[in-house]
Amino acid sequence: MSSGLVLIDKPKDWTSHDVVAKMRGVLGTRKVGHAGTLDPMATGLLILGVNQGTKLLQYLLGQDKSYTARIRLGQTTLSDDAESEVLESFDAGGVSEVFVDREIAKLTGTFEQVPSSVSAKKIDGARAYDLVRAGKVVKLEPKTITITTFLRTSEISYHDGLADFDVLVDCSTGTYIRALARDIGARLGVGGHLIGLRRTSIAEFNVAAATEMTAEPRLIDLKSAAGALFRSKEITEQQEVDLRHGKQVLLESESGLLALIRNNQLVALAEPAGDLYKSMAVFQGEA
């Protein structure tokens, strides 16, 4: 199997680790990793690095992401989603679309978000969700996030004192969509949690180009994958030799990190070091 990235449309109830384990068998290599976990209840885009493509994963972790989600008002849960028991119930039948849209607008921009207590964040070496499920009180520090787009995309469906609606979210890495549902419910005084979540994009990669678990995965080659993330630049044979020997090279560029190409293959990712460029990752040629 060659190296690169594979885009998977993760099904519900699969963990990200489940997908990696499955794809290791399908792709015939143990060297498979993913760029950003999706909860089992979530569906959508999971990016896998294959062989040398795993070197690209760290550059995907900090990229912006997009989601579609369904929020339920009228109930709070331990995990801020539908995967745990209901803690409190309220009557959300009187919550209007005007009030919902007003609170959504307040949660757009750059602000401090407190992560969901049942999250993968570590406290003194232990995952927050393990501590919560062990009956311990967890207090997580707020984190600065940026929401560039937060829109209600459906009418509100009222039933049994609950209010459900769909949203679209474009956000920075580290944003908890569950926490957005929680916070909207808290601001409206009726509680809230997430009942559906789908990741639709990471950086320039979209779920529309992903394959389902039952389909034959399509590999994005290293050059194309790196070119979607960084500006590409052709280098000379001598520059390739120098980079492979750990030397810095002189490149005319106004960009930051570059994908360096020779003979139609990705040679290295390089970043500025004074007047020169130094390699951050070097890739071996493939037939």
Side-chain angles (χ1 to χ4, degrees):
M1 183 70 185
S2 299
S3 299
L5 299 180
V6 169
L7 310 185
I8 295 294
D9 189 345
K10 188 190 85 66
K12 188 176 181 181
D13 297 328
W14 282 62
T15 68
S16 299
H17 179 74
D18 290 339
V19 175
V20 169
K22 172 73 172 180
M23 286 298 111
R24 282 173 176 162
V26 171
L27 298 170
T29 176
R30 292 289 302 169
K31 200 166 185 182
V32 179
H34 66 78
T37 300
L38 275 178
D39 290 339
M41 72 164 284
T43 67
L45 183 61
L46 189 67
I47 301 181
L48 305 183
V50 182
N51 293 326
Q52 293 188 81
T54 56
K55 296 180 182 180
L56 296 174
L57 296 180
Q58 63 178 307
Y59 302 102
L60 285 161
L61 294 175
Q63 299 288 334
D64 291 348
K65 300 174 177 64
S66 297
Y67 298 88
T68 56
R70 190 160 181 83
I71 293 173
R72 170 163 292 172
L73 300 178
Q75 294 173 335
T76 63
T77 70
L78 180 65
S79 58
D80 299 326
D81 60 29
E83 295 295 285
S84 63
E85 68 276 11
V86 173
L87 299 178
E88 292 183 290
S89 295
F90 305 86
D91 184 1
V95 177
S96 71
E97 293 182 344
V98 172
F99 289 160
V100 169
D101 292 345
R102 180 187 64 191
E103 297 309 324
I104 284 176
K106 291 178 182 178
L107 290 171
T108 304
T110 299
F111 57 93
E112 297 286 298
Q113 182 189 65
V114 178
S116 298
S117 60
V118 181
S119 72
K121 282 189 169 294
K122 286 189 175 182
I123 302 174
D124 297 329
R127 298 288 184 186
Y129 54 69
D130 289 331
L131 295 173
V132 169
R133 287 164 182 159
K136 297 183 179 180
V137 176
V138 170
K139 183 178 181 180
L140 295 174
E141 294 299 320
K143 180 180 179 180
T144 301
I145 62 166
T146 299
I147 307 288
T148 53
T149 304
F150 193 3
L151 295 173
R152 178 173 56 85
T153 57
S154 74
E155 294 182 349
I156 297 180
S157 172
Y158 298 95
H159 59 98
D160 303 320
L162 304 173
D164 299 345
F165 58 93
D166 297 327
V167 295
L168 168 69
V169 183
D170 298 326
C171 57
S172 62
T173 188
T175 301
Y176 284 85
I177 310 302
R178 289 179 291 162
L180 293 178
R182 174 200 67 198
D183 292 344
I184 288 176
R187 286 168 176 265
L188 291 168
V190 295
H193 67 280
L194 206 64
I195 59 173
L197 180 64
R198 180 168 176 79
R199 185 158 66 195
T200 56
S201 71
I202 301 175
E204 300 302 315
F205 299 102
N206 195 282
V207 72
T211 55
E212 296 182 356
M213 291 293 292
T214 55
E216 183 71 21
R218 297 187 296 269
L219 186 76
I220 302 172
D221 64 76
L222 292 172
K223 177 190 172 185
S224 300
L229 293 170
F230 312 108
R231 195 166 72 84
S232 298
K233 187 174 182 62
E234 293 285 337
I235 59 174
T236 66
E237 180 180 2
Q238 185 58 52
Q239 287 172 328
E240 177 181 359
V241 171
D242 289 342
L243 287 164
R244 294 197 183 282
H245 285 83
K247 296 181 180 180
Q248 298 180 359
V249 296
L250 180 63
L251 299 171
E252 294 184 3
S253 175
E254 296 179 356
S255 179
L257 203 149
L258 292 173
L260 303 181
I261 310 297
R262 177 165 168 75
N263 291 334
N264 208 37
Q265 290 196 343
L266 177 65
V267 173
L269 299 179
E271 68 173 1
D275 294 332
L276 303 175
Y277 268 77
K278 66 177 181 180
S279 61
M280 300 298 293
V282 177
F283 300 82
Q284 301 305 313
E286 296 184 335

PDB file of all heavy atoms in Angstrom, residues 233-253 258 260-262 267-268 270 275-279 282:
ATOM      1  N   LYS A 233       6.036  24.046  -3.641  1.00  0.00           N
ATOM      2  CA  LYS A 233       7.136  24.684  -4.359  1.00  0.00           C
ATOM      3  C   LYS A 233       8.064  23.617  -4.913  1.00  0.00           C
ATOM      4  O   LYS A 233       8.445  22.682  -4.197  1.00  0.00           O
ATOM      5  CB  LYS A 233       7.919  25.624  -3.444  1.00  0.00           C
ATOM      6  CG  LYS A 233       8.989  26.447  -4.164  1.00  0.00           C
ATOM      7  CD  LYS A 233       9.622  27.458  -3.243  1.00  0.00           C
ATOM      8  CE  LYS A 233      10.650  28.303  -3.982  1.00  0.00           C
ATOM      9  NZ  LYS A 233      10.035  29.102  -5.087  1.00  0.00           N
ATOM     10  N   GLU A 234       8.424  23.756  -6.187  1.00  0.00           N
ATOM     11  CA  GLU A 234       9.357  22.846  -6.820  1.00  0.00           C
ATOM     12  C   GLU A 234      10.778  23.149  -6.339  1.00  0.00           C
ATOM     13  O   GLU A 234      11.149  24.310  -6.174  1.00  0.00           O
ATOM     14  CB  GLU A 234       9.284  22.975  -8.339  1.00  0.00           C
ATOM     15  CG  GLU A 234       7.980  22.504  -8.944  1.00  0.00           C
ATOM     16  CD  GLU A 234       7.865  20.991  -8.983  1.00  0.00           C
ATOM     17  OE1 GLU A 234       8.921  20.314  -8.955  1.00  0.00           O
ATOM     18  OE2 GLU A 234       6.720  20.490  -9.040  1.00  0.00           O
ATOM     19  N   ILE A 235      11.572  22.099  -6.142  1.00  0.00           N
ATOM     20  CA  ILE A 235      12.962  22.278  -5.729  1.00  0.00           C
ATOM     21  C   ILE A 235      13.888  21.564  -6.710  1.00  0.00           C
ATOM     22  O   ILE A 235      13.459  20.736  -7.512  1.00  0.00           O
ATOM     23  CB  ILE A 235      13.199  21.747  -4.294  1.00  0.00           C
ATOM     24  CG1 ILE A 235      12.838  20.252  -4.201  1.00  0.00           C
ATOM     25  CG2 ILE A 235      12.421  22.571  -3.282  1.00  0.00           C
ATOM     26  CD1 ILE A 235      13.189  19.621  -2.870  1.00  0.00           C
ATOM     27  N   THR A 236      15.183  21.884  -6.605  1.00  0.00           N
ATOM     28  CA  THR A 236      16.168  21.279  -7.485  1.00  0.00           C
ATOM     29  C   THR A 236      16.648  19.943  -6.921  1.00  0.00           C
ATOM     30  O   THR A 236      16.382  19.600  -5.758  1.00  0.00           O
ATOM     31  CB  THR A 236      17.381  22.199  -7.647  1.00  0.00           C
ATOM     32  OG1 THR A 236      18.058  22.304  -6.380  1.00  0.00           O
ATOM     33  CG2 THR A 236      16.946  23.596  -8.103  1.00  0.00           C
ATOM     34  N   GLU A 237      17.373  19.214  -7.760  1.00  0.00           N
ATOM     35  CA  GLU A 237      17.927  17.933  -7.323  1.00  0.00           C
ATOM     36  C   GLU A 237      18.873  18.123  -6.146  1.00  0.00           C
ATOM     37  O   GLU A 237      18.840  17.349  -5.180  1.00  0.00           O
ATOM     38  CB  GLU A 237      18.667  17.257  -8.481  1.00  0.00           C
ATOM     39  CG  GLU A 237      19.272  15.907  -8.110  1.00  0.00           C
ATOM     40  CD  GLU A 237      19.995  15.255  -9.265  1.00  0.00           C
ATOM     41  OE1 GLU A 237      20.065  15.871 -10.355  1.00  0.00           O
ATOM     42  OE2 GLU A 237      20.495  14.126  -9.098  1.00  0.00           O
ATOM     43  N   GLN A 238      19.709  19.168  -6.217  1.00  0.00           N
ATOM     44  CA  GLN A 238      20.656  19.409  -5.128  1.00  0.00           C
ATOM     45  C   GLN A 238      19.936  19.792  -3.844  1.00  0.00           C
ATOM     46  O   GLN A 238      20.326  19.373  -2.745  1.00  0.00           O
ATOM     47  CB  GLN A 238      21.654  20.506  -5.505  1.00  0.00           C
ATOM     48  CG  GLN A 238      22.760  20.732  -4.462  1.00  0.00           C
ATOM     49  CD  GLN A 238      23.557  19.479  -4.189  1.00  0.00           C
ATOM     50  OE1 GLN A 238      24.065  18.837  -5.120  1.00  0.00           O
ATOM     51  NE2 GLN A 238      23.683  19.100  -2.920  1.00  0.00           N
ATOM     52  N   GLN A 239      18.864  20.560  -3.950  1.00  0.00           N
ATOM     53  CA  GLN A 239      18.098  20.922  -2.757  1.00  0.00           C
ATOM     54  C   GLN A 239      17.459  19.687  -2.129  1.00  0.00           C
ATOM     55  O   GLN A 239      17.391  19.569  -0.905  1.00  0.00           O
ATOM     56  CB  GLN A 239      17.033  21.962  -3.115  1.00  0.00           C
ATOM     57  CG  GLN A 239      17.605  23.348  -3.381  1.00  0.00           C
ATOM     58  CD  GLN A 239      16.568  24.310  -3.916  1.00  0.00           C
ATOM     59  OE1 GLN A 239      15.631  23.919  -4.631  1.00  0.00           O
ATOM     60  NE2 GLN A 239      16.717  25.584  -3.590  1.00  0.00           N
ATOM     61  N   GLU A 240      17.002  18.768  -2.966  1.00  0.00           N
ATOM     62  CA  GLU A 240      16.456  17.525  -2.429  1.00  0.00           C
ATOM     63  C   GLU A 240      17.523  16.750  -1.664  1.00  0.00           C
ATOM     64  O   GLU A 240      17.267  16.258  -0.556  1.00  0.00           O
ATOM     65  CB  GLU A 240      15.897  16.652  -3.561  1.00  0.00           C
ATOM     66  CG  GLU A 240      15.375  15.308  -3.060  1.00  0.00           C
ATOM     67  CD  GLU A 240      14.833  14.420  -4.157  1.00  0.00           C
ATOM     68  OE1 GLU A 240      14.832  14.824  -5.326  1.00  0.00           O
ATOM     69  OE2 GLU A 240      14.388  13.297  -3.812  1.00  0.00           O
ATOM     70  N   VAL A 241      18.713  16.642  -2.252  1.00  0.00           N
ATOM     71  CA  VAL A 241      19.814  15.943  -1.583  1.00  0.00           C
ATOM     72  C   VAL A 241      20.125  16.601  -0.249  1.00  0.00           C
ATOM     73  O   VAL A 241      20.299  15.925   0.779  1.00  0.00           O
ATOM     74  CB  VAL A 241      21.065  15.917  -2.489  1.00  0.00           C
ATOM     75  CG1 VAL A 241      22.273  15.390  -1.702  1.00  0.00           C
ATOM     76  CG2 VAL A 241      20.815  15.072  -3.719  1.00  0.00           C
ATOM     77  N   ASP A 242      20.202  17.934  -0.249  1.00  0.00           N
ATOM     78  CA  ASP A 242      20.522  18.661   0.986  1.00  0.00           C
ATOM     79  C   ASP A 242      19.459  18.419   2.059  1.00  0.00           C
ATOM     80  O   ASP A 242      19.780  18.171   3.232  1.00  0.00           O
ATOM     81  CB  ASP A 242      20.638  20.157   0.693  1.00  0.00           C
ATOM     82  CG  ASP A 242      21.886  20.500  -0.113  1.00  0.00           C
ATOM     83  OD1 ASP A 242      22.808  19.653  -0.147  1.00  0.00           O
ATOM     84  OD2 ASP A 242      21.937  21.594  -0.700  1.00  0.00           O
ATOM     85  N   LEU A 243      18.202  18.473   1.676  1.00  0.00           N
ATOM     86  CA  LEU A 243      17.120  18.269   2.642  1.00  0.00           C
ATOM     87  C   LEU A 243      17.171  16.861   3.230  1.00  0.00           C
ATOM     88  O   LEU A 243      16.944  16.668   4.428  1.00  0.00           O
ATOM     89  CB  LEU A 243      15.770  18.507   1.978  1.00  0.00           C
ATOM     90  CG  LEU A 243      15.417  19.969   1.676  1.00  0.00           C
ATOM     91  CD1 LEU A 243      14.273  20.045   0.688  1.00  0.00           C
ATOM     92  CD2 LEU A 243      15.071  20.720   2.959  1.00  0.00           C
ATOM     93  N   ARG A 244      17.448  15.879   2.392  1.00  0.00           N
ATOM     94  CA  ARG A 244      17.502  14.495   2.870  1.00  0.00           C
ATOM     95  C   ARG A 244      18.700  14.262   3.784  1.00  0.00           C
ATOM     96  O   ARG A 244      18.712  13.293   4.546  1.00  0.00           O
ATOM     97  CB  ARG A 244      17.535  13.535   1.683  1.00  0.00           C
ATOM     98  CG  ARG A 244      16.247  13.557   0.856  1.00  0.00           C
ATOM     99  CD  ARG A 244      16.132  12.348  -0.049  1.00  0.00           C
ATOM    100  NE  ARG A 244      14.932  12.412  -0.876  1.00  0.00           N
ATOM    101  CZ  ARG A 244      13.696  12.131  -0.453  1.00  0.00           C
ATOM    102  NH1 ARG A 244      13.516  11.769   0.794  1.00  0.00           N
ATOM    103  NH2 ARG A 244      12.654  12.200  -1.272  1.00  0.00           N
ATOM    104  N   HIS A 245      19.689  15.158   3.733  1.00  0.00           N
ATOM    105  CA  HIS A 245      20.841  15.050   4.620  1.00  0.00           C
ATOM    106  C   HIS A 245      20.739  16.024   5.802  1.00  0.00           C
ATOM    107  O   HIS A 245      21.734  16.271   6.497  1.00  0.00           O
ATOM    108  CB  HIS A 245      22.132  15.301   3.843  1.00  0.00           C
ATOM    109  CG  HIS A 245      22.544  14.146   2.968  1.00  0.00           C
ATOM    110  ND1 HIS A 245      22.029  13.952   1.703  1.00  0.00           N
ATOM    111  CD2 HIS A 245      23.393  13.108   3.202  1.00  0.00           C
ATOM    112  CE1 HIS A 245      22.552  12.861   1.179  1.00  0.00           C
ATOM    113  NE2 HIS A 245      23.375  12.329   2.064  1.00  0.00           N
ATOM    114  N   GLY A 246      19.554  16.583   5.996  1.00  0.00           N
ATOM    115  CA  GLY A 246      19.330  17.448   7.151  1.00  0.00           C
ATOM    116  C   GLY A 246      19.849  18.859   7.007  1.00  0.00           C
ATOM    117  O   GLY A 246      19.906  19.605   7.987  1.00  0.00           O
ATOM    118  N   LYS A 247      20.198  19.247   5.791  1.00  0.00           N
ATOM    119  CA  LYS A 247      20.713  20.600   5.577  1.00  0.00           C
ATOM    120  C   LYS A 247      19.578  21.570   5.286  1.00  0.00           C
ATOM    121  O   LYS A 247      18.518  21.185   4.803  1.00  0.00           O
ATOM    122  CB  LYS A 247      21.702  20.595   4.401  1.00  0.00           C
ATOM    123  CG  LYS A 247      22.957  19.772   4.648  1.00  0.00           C
ATOM    124  CD  LYS A 247      23.892  19.854   3.443  1.00  0.00           C
ATOM    125  CE  LYS A 247      25.152  19.041   3.669  1.00  0.00           C
ATOM    126  NZ  LYS A 247      26.060  19.108   2.497  1.00  0.00           N
ATOM    127  N   GLN A 248      19.827  22.841   5.564  1.00  0.00           N
ATOM    128  CA  GLN A 248      18.874  23.887   5.239  1.00  0.00           C
ATOM    129  C   GLN A 248      19.109  24.368   3.815  1.00  0.00           C
ATOM    130  O   GLN A 248      20.220  24.284   3.295  1.00  0.00           O
ATOM    131  CB  GLN A 248      18.989  25.046   6.229  1.00  0.00           C
ATOM    132  CG  GLN A 248      18.682  24.638   7.664  1.00  0.00           C
ATOM    133  CD  GLN A 248      18.793  25.780   8.645  1.00  0.00           C
ATOM    134  OE1 GLN A 248      19.126  26.901   8.276  1.00  0.00           O
ATOM    135  NE2 GLN A 248      18.526  25.496   9.912  1.00  0.00           N
ATOM    136  N   VAL A 249      18.036  24.855   3.178  1.00  0.00           N
ATOM    137  CA  VAL A 249      18.143  25.288   1.789  1.00  0.00           C
ATOM    138  C   VAL A 249      17.582  26.698   1.638  1.00  0.00           C
ATOM    139  O   VAL A 249      16.722  27.137   2.413  1.00  0.00           O
ATOM    140  CB  VAL A 249      17.392  24.324   0.837  1.00  0.00           C
ATOM    141  CG1 VAL A 249      18.040  22.951   0.872  1.00  0.00           C
ATOM    142  CG2 VAL A 249      15.916  24.230   1.203  1.00  0.00           C
ATOM    143  N   LEU A 250      18.083  27.385   0.614  1.00  0.00           N
ATOM    144  CA  LEU A 250      17.624  28.738   0.310  1.00  0.00           C
ATOM    145  C   LEU A 250      16.466  28.665  -0.670  1.00  0.00           C
ATOM    146  O   LEU A 250      16.594  28.094  -1.761  1.00  0.00           O
ATOM    147  CB  LEU A 250      18.763  29.569  -0.292  1.00  0.00           C
ATOM    148  CG  LEU A 250      18.417  31.024  -0.664  1.00  0.00           C
ATOM    149  CD1 LEU A 250      18.036  31.809   0.595  1.00  0.00           C
ATOM    150  CD2 LEU A 250      19.602  31.680  -1.373  1.00  0.00           C
ATOM    151  N   LEU A 251      15.316  29.216  -0.293  1.00  0.00           N
ATOM    152  CA  LEU A 251      14.128  29.206  -1.139  1.00  0.00           C
ATOM    153  C   LEU A 251      13.523  30.597  -1.168  1.00  0.00           C
ATOM    154  O   LEU A 251      13.396  31.244  -0.117  1.00  0.00           O
ATOM    155  CB  LEU A 251      13.081  28.215  -0.610  1.00  0.00           C
ATOM    156  CG  LEU A 251      13.471  26.742  -0.537  1.00  0.00           C
ATOM    157  CD1 LEU A 251      12.404  25.965   0.217  1.00  0.00           C
ATOM    158  CD2 LEU A 251      13.647  26.174  -1.938  1.00  0.00           C
ATOM    159  N   GLU A 252      13.158  31.060  -2.334  1.00  0.00           N
ATOM    160  CA  GLU A 252      12.480  32.346  -2.451  1.00  0.00           C
ATOM    161  C   GLU A 252      10.989  32.132  -2.234  1.00  0.00           C
ATOM    162  O   GLU A 252      10.319  31.514  -3.060  1.00  0.00           O
ATOM    163  CB  GLU A 252      12.743  32.961  -3.817  1.00  0.00           C
ATOM    164  CG  GLU A 252      14.202  33.358  -4.046  1.00  0.00           C
ATOM    165  CD  GLU A 252      14.397  34.047  -5.381  1.00  0.00           C
ATOM    166  OE1 GLU A 252      13.370  34.263  -6.079  1.00  0.00           O
ATOM    167  OE2 GLU A 252      15.543  34.341  -5.723  1.00  0.00           O
ATOM    168  N   SER A 253      10.498  32.601  -1.107  1.00  0.00           N
ATOM    169  CA  SER A 253       9.082  32.406  -0.798  1.00  0.00           C
ATOM    170  C   SER A 253       8.634  33.395   0.256  1.00  0.00           C
ATOM    171  O   SER A 253       9.404  33.761   1.146  1.00  0.00           O
ATOM    172  CB  SER A 253       8.833  30.988  -0.287  1.00  0.00           C
ATOM    173  OG  SER A 253       7.485  30.833   0.109  1.00  0.00           O
ATOM    174  N   LEU A 258       6.104  25.127   3.762  1.00  0.00           N
ATOM    175  CA  LEU A 258       5.968  24.774   2.356  1.00  0.00           C
ATOM    176  C   LEU A 258       5.981  23.270   2.157  1.00  0.00           C
ATOM    177  O   LEU A 258       6.652  22.544   2.891  1.00  0.00           O
ATOM    178  CB  LEU A 258       7.122  25.370   1.540  1.00  0.00           C
ATOM    179  CG  LEU A 258       7.191  26.888   1.385  1.00  0.00           C
ATOM    180  CD1 LEU A 258       8.499  27.266   0.699  1.00  0.00           C
ATOM    181  CD2 LEU A 258       6.005  27.410   0.589  1.00  0.00           C
ATOM    182  N   LEU A 260       7.467  20.797  -0.366  1.00  0.00           N
ATOM    183  CA  LEU A 260       8.520  20.843  -1.377  1.00  0.00           C
ATOM    184  C   LEU A 260       8.422  19.628  -2.292  1.00  0.00           C
ATOM    185  O   LEU A 260       8.385  18.484  -1.811  1.00  0.00           O
ATOM    186  CB  LEU A 260       9.886  20.912  -0.695  1.00  0.00           C
ATOM    187  CG  LEU A 260      10.056  22.099   0.277  1.00  0.00           C
ATOM    188  CD1 LEU A 260      11.449  22.090   0.885  1.00  0.00           C
ATOM    189  CD2 LEU A 260       9.781  23.429  -0.429  1.00  0.00           C
ATOM    190  N   ILE A 261       8.394  19.882  -3.584  1.00  0.00           N
ATOM    191  CA  ILE A 261       8.105  18.860  -4.584  1.00  0.00           C
ATOM    192  C   ILE A 261       9.266  18.707  -5.567  1.00  0.00           C
ATOM    193  O   ILE A 261       9.876  19.695  -5.972  1.00  0.00           O
ATOM    194  CB  ILE A 261       6.831  19.221  -5.384  1.00  0.00           C
ATOM    195  CG1 ILE A 261       5.665  19.573  -4.440  1.00  0.00           C
ATOM    196  CG2 ILE A 261       6.454  18.094  -6.337  1.00  0.00           C
ATOM    197  CD1 ILE A 261       5.226  18.459  -3.550  1.00  0.00           C
ATOM    198  N   ARG A 262       9.562  17.462  -5.939  1.00  0.00           N
ATOM    199  CA  ARG A 262      10.498  17.193  -7.033  1.00  0.00           C
ATOM    200  C   ARG A 262      10.058  15.914  -7.741  1.00  0.00           C
ATOM    201  O   ARG A 262       9.683  14.932  -7.092  1.00  0.00           O
ATOM    202  CB  ARG A 262      11.933  17.068  -6.527  1.00  0.00           C
ATOM    203  CG  ARG A 262      12.907  16.708  -7.655  1.00  0.00           C
ATOM    204  CD  ARG A 262      14.348  16.930  -7.304  1.00  0.00           C
ATOM    205  NE  ARG A 262      15.216  16.335  -8.280  1.00  0.00           N
ATOM    206  CZ  ARG A 262      15.452  16.819  -9.505  1.00  0.00           C
ATOM    207  NH1 ARG A 262      14.846  17.938  -9.886  1.00  0.00           N
ATOM    208  NH2 ARG A 262      16.261  16.201 -10.340  1.00  0.00           N
ATOM    209  N   VAL A 267       8.759  15.735  -1.277  1.00  0.00           N
ATOM    210  CA  VAL A 267      10.078  15.477  -0.705  1.00  0.00           C
ATOM    211  C   VAL A 267      10.095  15.824   0.783  1.00  0.00           C
ATOM    212  O   VAL A 267      10.592  15.052   1.611  1.00  0.00           O
ATOM    213  CB  VAL A 267      11.176  16.285  -1.431  1.00  0.00           C
ATOM    214  CG1 VAL A 267      12.532  16.136  -0.725  1.00  0.00           C
ATOM    215  CG2 VAL A 267      11.266  15.857  -2.879  1.00  0.00           C
ATOM    216  N   ALA A 268       9.542  16.986   1.134  1.00  0.00           N
ATOM    217  CA  ALA A 268       9.612  17.428   2.531  1.00  0.00           C
ATOM    218  C   ALA A 268       8.591  18.521   2.803  1.00  0.00           C
ATOM    219  O   ALA A 268       8.090  19.183   1.887  1.00  0.00           O
ATOM    220  CB  ALA A 268      11.021  17.940   2.849  1.00  0.00           C
ATOM    221  N   ALA A 270       8.751  22.006   4.918  1.00  0.00           N
ATOM    222  CA  ALA A 270       9.836  22.842   5.442  1.00  0.00           C
ATOM    223  C   ALA A 270       9.289  24.169   5.937  1.00  0.00           C
ATOM    224  O   ALA A 270       8.301  24.690   5.410  1.00  0.00           O
ATOM    225  CB  ALA A 270      10.890  23.074   4.371  1.00  0.00           C
ATOM    226  N   ASP A 275      16.936  33.160   6.964  1.00  0.00           N
ATOM    227  CA  ASP A 275      16.866  33.344   5.516  1.00  0.00           C
ATOM    228  C   ASP A 275      16.743  32.017   4.769  1.00  0.00           C
ATOM    229  O   ASP A 275      16.597  32.001   3.549  1.00  0.00           O
ATOM    230  CB  ASP A 275      18.125  34.079   5.019  1.00  0.00           C
ATOM    231  CG  ASP A 275      18.202  35.503   5.555  1.00  0.00           C
ATOM    232  OD1 ASP A 275      17.125  36.089   5.816  1.00  0.00           O
ATOM    233  OD2 ASP A 275      19.318  36.011   5.725  1.00  0.00           O
ATOM    234  N   LEU A 276      16.804  30.907   5.492  1.00  0.00           N
ATOM    235  CA  LEU A 276      16.756  29.585   4.877  1.00  0.00           C
ATOM    236  C   LEU A 276      15.489  28.841   5.274  1.00  0.00           C
ATOM    237  O   LEU A 276      14.686  29.340   6.067  1.00  0.00           O
ATOM    238  CB  LEU A 276      17.996  28.778   5.294  1.00  0.00           C
ATOM    239  CG  LEU A 276      19.359  29.400   4.971  1.00  0.00           C
ATOM    240  CD1 LEU A 276      20.482  28.549   5.559  1.00  0.00           C
ATOM    241  CD2 LEU A 276      19.543  29.558   3.470  1.00  0.00           C
ATOM    242  N   TYR A 277      15.337  27.653   4.707  1.00  0.00           N
ATOM    243  CA  TYR A 277      14.235  26.766   5.081  1.00  0.00           C
ATOM    244  C   TYR A 277      14.813  25.459   5.624  1.00  0.00           C
ATOM    245  O   TYR A 277      15.772  24.920   5.073  1.00  0.00           O
ATOM    246  CB  TYR A 277      13.340  26.454   3.873  1.00  0.00           C
ATOM    247  CG  TYR A 277      12.173  27.398   3.719  1.00  0.00           C
ATOM    248  CD1 TYR A 277      12.372  28.675   3.203  1.00  0.00           C
ATOM    249  CD2 TYR A 277      10.897  27.034   4.096  1.00  0.00           C
ATOM    250  CE1 TYR A 277      11.306  29.560   3.057  1.00  0.00           C
ATOM    251  CE2 TYR A 277       9.825  27.906   3.960  1.00  0.00           C
ATOM    252  CZ  TYR A 277      10.040  29.166   3.437  1.00  0.00           C
ATOM    253  OH  TYR A 277       8.979  30.030   3.306  1.00  0.00           O
ATOM    254  N   LYS A 278      14.210  24.963   6.717  1.00  0.00           N
ATOM    255  CA  LYS A 278      14.636  23.686   7.275  1.00  0.00           C
ATOM    256  C   LYS A 278      13.479  22.696   7.212  1.00  0.00           C
ATOM    257  O   LYS A 278      12.312  23.075   7.314  1.00  0.00           O
ATOM    258  CB  LYS A 278      15.113  23.847   8.722  1.00  0.00           C
ATOM    259  CG  LYS A 278      14.032  24.259   9.700  1.00  0.00           C
ATOM    260  CD  LYS A 278      14.596  24.325  11.121  1.00  0.00           C
ATOM    261  CE  LYS A 278      13.495  24.714  12.119  1.00  0.00           C
ATOM    262  NZ  LYS A 278      14.022  24.789  13.503  1.00  0.00           N
ATOM    263  N   SER A 279      13.810  21.430   7.035  1.00  0.00           N
ATOM    264  CA  SER A 279      12.779  20.407   6.898  1.00  0.00           C
ATOM    265  C   SER A 279      12.140  20.099   8.241  1.00  0.00           C
ATOM    266  O   SER A 279      12.812  20.002   9.269  1.00  0.00           O
ATOM    267  CB  SER A 279      13.370  19.133   6.300  1.00  0.00           C
ATOM    268  OG  SER A 279      14.389  18.613   7.131  1.00  0.00           O
ATOM    269  N   VAL A 282      10.521  14.692   6.302  1.00  0.00           N
ATOM    270  CA  VAL A 282      11.059  14.268   5.024  1.00  0.00           C
ATOM    271  C   VAL A 282      10.376  12.978   4.607  1.00  0.00           C
ATOM    272  O   VAL A 282      10.144  12.089   5.444  1.00  0.00           O
ATOM    273  CB  VAL A 282      12.586  14.073   5.098  1.00  0.00           C
ATOM    274  CG1 VAL A 282      13.138  13.545   3.770  1.00  0.00           C
ATOM    275  CG2 VAL A 282      13.270  15.389   5.465  1.00  0.00           C
TER     276      VAL A 282
END
